[in-house]
Amino acid sequence: MRKFENILIDLHKIENETAVDTGFATWCDAREDHPTRSEYRLYYPATTVSEVAAEGDLLVIGKLPDNSIIVIVVRAGTTFENNILWLFNLPDEGTQKRFTVQEIEEENDPELDFASRIILTELGIEISETDENYLEVMLEKFRGKFPTTRIFSAFARETLGDISAIDNPDKAVIAWMDRVEMLFRTLERHFVSERIKDGFEDVDTFISYSLSVQNRRKSRVGHALENHLEQVFTDNSITYSRGKVTEYKAKPDFIFPDIEHYYNLKFPDTRLTMLGVKSTCKDRWRQVLSEAARIEDKHLLTLEPGISENQTDEMVANNLQLVIPQSLHATYKPGQQSWLVSVQSFLQLVESRQLV
């Protein structure tokens, strides 16, 4: 009999909510005293995670190098299920029930790619890549402060001078986002460490500072993505307007060819394009539907891997086309991949409308 400490992660309730609990599990042979038979069982106490698990859910149990285990419960047919199946290279059996055991050797474990890090972050597992070689450069360049997101995005691109948004815009977007994330975490770790050394007057001060760190992380990701896309459009000579007001005070992220043509009623609707940008969609993709009323068929660019078929079917029904960087297409099911549009294909569409 062996007893394991474990972490339980519940992705069961709703698409955009994650619950985490801790506990223990006991692995034993219920027929240990039988001379010829074995019957292994995993016992665990009731938790907030186990209480919401239901028949048909995906259950993943992983044993970690420190001999603890992680238990992931995922509701069937969700984006999270797609993500977990892809992350662990598990077969998608649909409604069929199957028990699969897979060993992942540490020495053969590849470097985590962009999609993998996004999924692990959603699981509450922080993969913080930093590079201290850039710290002194950033502290001097930005005078010991966080610069604006636009300035920081430009700096990140400068450190990857060999990436071309003309030759491969899909690769450029992912590479630039990867780099800005690494640089941000490097600078953030320095500032947070220094603040912790100074100490906090009371609990409220600590909570306030913690919330400010979390809010900064969330807000700068979306802005960085928009900044990088703006550079892609500029490099490819695509005209656009960013964040301009349309009907009902809505502000689409990008309008093509520009806001002046949008308000020119003599300009054909069919030559207008709008692009919403959300680093992750969740249920927020519906917000795009009410933006830019003149444009019936809307586009939304996201970095969210493996969105569920239920959600993409609903997008199709609402004339919303997903734009996904090419390297993330593999996280979607085969039936979805043929519908997805890459950044390169989107640029070609917009350019064709500008050239008419």
Side-chain angles (χ1 to χ4, degrees), residues 175-230:
W176 289 342
M177 287 299 294
D178 236 348
R179 180 54 59 91
V180 79
E181 175 73 10
M182 181 274 289
L183 293 174
F184 176 84
R185 290 304 176 96
T186 300
L187 194 57
E188 180 191 59
R189 176 173 292 185
H190 170 77
F191 288 145
V192 171
S193 297
E194 292 298 311
R195 181 66 182 87
I196 291 174
K197 289 179 183 178
D198 293 339
F200 298 91
E201 296 177 1
D202 49 41
V203 173
D204 289 339
T205 304
F206 169 77
I207 292 175
S208 176
Y209 180 72
S210 177
L211 288 174
S212 70
V213 170
Q214 294 298 324
N215 290 335
R216 182 171 55 211
R217 285 184 179 184
K218 293 177 181 177
S219 64
R220 58 97 199 166
V221 173
H223 289 134
L225 180 55
E226 290 181 31
N227 292 335
H228 294 325
L229 288 171
E230 189 171 29

Side-chain angles (χ1 to χ4, degrees), residues 81-131:
E81 183 186 47
N82 285 359
N83 291 170
I84 296 301
L85 290 173
W86 178 83
L87 181 65
F88 295 109
N89 195 27
L90 299 173
D92 182 4
E93 301 296 331
T95 58
Q96 299 180 19
K97 304 296 187 294
R98 179 171 175 175
F99 182 79
T100 301
V101 177
Q102 180 171 307
E103 185 170 355
I104 301 176
E105 297 290 345
E106 186 174 357
E107 58 268 22
N108 296 326
D109 190 20
E111 182 180 352
L112 289 172
D113 60 16
F114 186 82
S116 300
R117 289 197 294 274
I118 290 177
I119 296 171
L120 289 171
T121 299
E122 289 295 323
L123 291 174
I125 301 173
E126 287 287 341
I127 307 296
S128 300
E129 294 190 356
T130 60
D131 189 337

Side-chain angles (χ1 to χ4, degrees), residues 64-80:
L64 305 180
D66 63 359
N67 283 325
S68 64
I69 62 175
I70 183 170
V71 180
I72 305 172
V73 182
V74 192
R75 182 159 55 92
T78 61
T79 295
F80 284 135

